[in-house]
Amino acid sequence: MPEGDTIAYAARRMRPVLEGQVPDVIRTPQPRHAMDRWPERLAGRAVAQIRTHGKHLFLCFEGGLTLHSHLRMTGTWGVYAPGRRWGRSPRLAWLVLERGGHQVVQFNGPLLELVTESRTRFDRRLAGLGPDVLAAEFDFARFLARLRADDHTRGIGDALLDQRNVAGIGNIWKAEGCWEAAVDPWRPVSSVSDAEARAIIEGLRPRMLASAQTGRMAGEPRVFRRHGRPCARCGATILAGGQGDDNRTTFWCPGCQR
Ligand SMILES: [Zn+2]
């Protein structure tokens, strides 16, 4: 599943193509959106801004119209220079935006909507999300407040995946963050101090920010999918196990994560 850094990287690649520009072509090949008339409704409008919050991406057009995308498990964004072949089948394209021969393509949805509500209502929707892990300045106070309001018996690894606590962290960065801070992801939230919760975010944020710039993780993961192999910090064998209601696999080192 794409995490916040993947979405931020997609936005970073789209901005030089679309921001401040009126797209030459807008197409919605997905039959689901054939009747929505988005090309007509967005015709002649410039993309004022491309924003992200966690795993959500917003193409904000002039006049208060915003295309909102969430990739969930299946979707991807592609940004192609003139003449470049798409990385996926055209049959999977849900949205195509062209400008100066460059193409921005959304494949496989699965959540794509044109939001016409006012900015205030729009912001209220976003307010349900926790602070964006990739924000220029992370809002630790809000994160800690959300975490303390959550189920205290829940494992910290599971709580980090809840987008209401912090937006943008997925399964990879949850595991990596807990390792960086040497915190066992199975510990109930009630036993995790504010300093430890902060250390998890501070441990993963620089690596996520770097990945948002380059589109890939620098170096190898420390624990993610490294079960059965030795921990780089203490040498103990890394373990894997399903956690939380969604049974997402978590990876941790029993030697140094306490
Ligand atoms: Zn270890």
Side-chain angles (χ1 to χ4, degrees):
M1 180 191 277
E3 304 191 20
D5 52 326
T6 303
I7 307 304
Y9 179 65
R12 181 180 154 81
R13 295 187 64 215
M14 285 176 207
R15 286 190 186 106
V17 177
L18 293 174
E19 252 182 15
Q21 308 288 336
V22 177
D24 301 323
V25 176
I26 299 177
R27 292 193 290 121
T28 53
Q30 228 287 331
R32 177 185 307 196
H33 295 299
M35 308 299 284
D36 292 343
R37 298 181 59 252
W38 291 350
E40 290 85 347
R41 293 168 72 186
L42 295 170
R45 296 176 193 264
V47 177
Q49 196 188 16
I50 298 175
R51 298 165 63 196
T52 59
H53 188 109
K55 303 177 186 177
H56 298 257
L57 187 141
F58 306 91
L59 287 158
C60 309
F61 287 78
E62 288 174 330
L65 291 177
T66 295
L67 281 170
H68 167 218
S69 150
H70 191 294
L71 302 176
R72 299 221 173 100
M73 305 295 272
T74 54
T76 51
W77 283 101
V79 181
Y80 304 104
R84 276 280 312 281
R85 262 180 74 94
W86 290 2
R88 294 198 164 202
S89 163
R91 286 194 317 260
L92 302 177
W94 282 41
L95 174 71
V96 182
L97 300 158
E98 292 184 25
R99 173 67 196 178
H102 293 260
Q103 294 177 309
V104 172
V105 188
Q106 209 281 323
F107 297 101
N108 263 334
L111 171 63
L112 190 63
E113 59 175 351
L114 184 63
V115 182
T116 55
E117 59 205 33
S118 72
R119 178 64 189 265
T120 324
R121 283 184 56 198
F122 187 58
D123 285 348
R124 207 174 297 148
R125 270 153 61 108
L126 277 186
L129 293 169
D132 184 358
V133 68
L134 293 172
E137 294 208 12
F138 183 70
D139 190 344
F140 280 103
R142 205 165 132 233
F143 164 59
L144 291 171
R146 290 283 177 102
L147 197 64
R148 297 304 169 209
D150 196 356
D151 176 358
H152 291 191
T153 65
R154 196 175 187 185
I156 180 67
D158 187 36
L160 289 167
L161 291 181
D162 191 325
Q163 304 297 299
R164 291 169 297 188
N165 291 331
V166 51
I169 295 177
N171 217 29
I172 299 171
W173 290 112
K174 170 233 8 200
E176 294 293 296
C178 288
W179 185 88
E180 292 282 358
V183 169
D184 182 340
W186 296 91
R187 272 174 54 197
V189 167
S190 58
S191 82
V192 175
S193 70
D194 284 1
E196 286 173 322
R198 194 181 175 103
I200 293 170
I201 301 293
E202 283 174 344
L204 60 82
R205 234 172 84 84
R207 294 176 62 198
M208 279 191 91
L209 287 166
S211 166
Q213 297 290 313
T214 62
R216 58 194 166 74
M217 185 188 285
E220 293 290 310
R222 315 287 196 250
V223 283
F224 183 73
R225 290 191 179 150
R226 286 186 54 85
H227 48 301
R229 297 164 73 182
C231 169
R233 189 163 48 209
C234 76
T237 302
I238 291 163
L239 300 179
Q243 184 176 30
D245 290 341
D246 297 330
N247 201 34
R248 304 289 306 280
T249 304
T250 196
F251 303 86
W252 76 102
C253 172
C256 61
Q257 287 181 251
R258 303 296 169 89

